[in-house]
Amino acid sequence: QVQLVESGGGSVQPGGSLRLSCVASGNIRRIDATYWYRQVQGKQRELVAKITSDGSTTYADSVTGRFTISRDNAGNTVYLQMNSLKPEDTAVYYCNLDGVVAGTTPLYKYWGQGTQVTVSS
């Protein structure tokens, strides 16, 4: 079993900042990459940012320069610093992992409950 717990969401005005956290626990043997996705109700989940085990990062064009993904040394907690937030950033944000887990369910199949981010004046 794997648990992913996202937190840090909230309501902010345009131009504001939030820092999201994702804590992973359970029978995880190795994390190769961690992803932040977001989803607006009725739309497909969108990849926002990725960080690999060697620290390489990639971002969606829509958030480049505004969002920063990082992780702690143990690699089990990943953050998403979101600055200069826009109304179009409003969504539920989820983290997701790629790697090796004990058991038959692939690691990428696990999702947390998400954390709501609302950007509005």
Side-chain angles (χ1 to χ4, degrees), residues 1-120:
Q1 276 284 51
V2 171
Q3 296 80 39
L4 300 175
V5 179
E6 302 96 339
S7 63
S11 295
V12 296
Q13 293 187 339
S17 297
L18 286 173
R19 188 191 196 206
L20 307 184
S21 299
C22 168
V23 178
S25 62
N27 296 324
I28 300 171
R29 296 290 182 259
R30 187 182 75 238
I31 298 174
D32 294 327
T34 304
Y35 307 84
W36 279 102
Y37 286 84
R38 65 186 180 188
Q39 187 170 25
V40 177
Q41 191 172 8
K43 295 189 176 181
Q44 276 197 326
R45 201 162 286 186
E46 172 192 18
L47 178 61
V48 174
K50 168 186 174 181
I51 185 166
T52 62
S53 58
D54 65 0
S56 298
T57 58
T58 55
Y59 299 92
D61 289 344
S62 58
V63 306
T64 297
R66 301 188 297 120
F67 290 11
T68 303
I69 188 171
S70 62
R71 61 179 185 190
D72 67 354
N73 287 336
N76 286 1
T77 301
V78 176
Y79 307 96
L80 186 68
Q81 178 67 43
M82 305 187 297
N83 299 327
S84 302
L85 283 161
K86 304 175 180 180
E88 51 263 43
D89 295 319
T90 296
V92 179
Y93 284 71
Y94 301 89
C95 63
N96 187 245
L97 307 179
D98 191 15
V100 179
V101 61
T104 57
T105 303
L107 187 53
Y108 70 87
K109 291 280 190 179
Y110 291 94
W111 293 90
Q113 82 290 347
T115 185
Q116 175 72 48
V117 171
T118 302
V119 185
S120 174

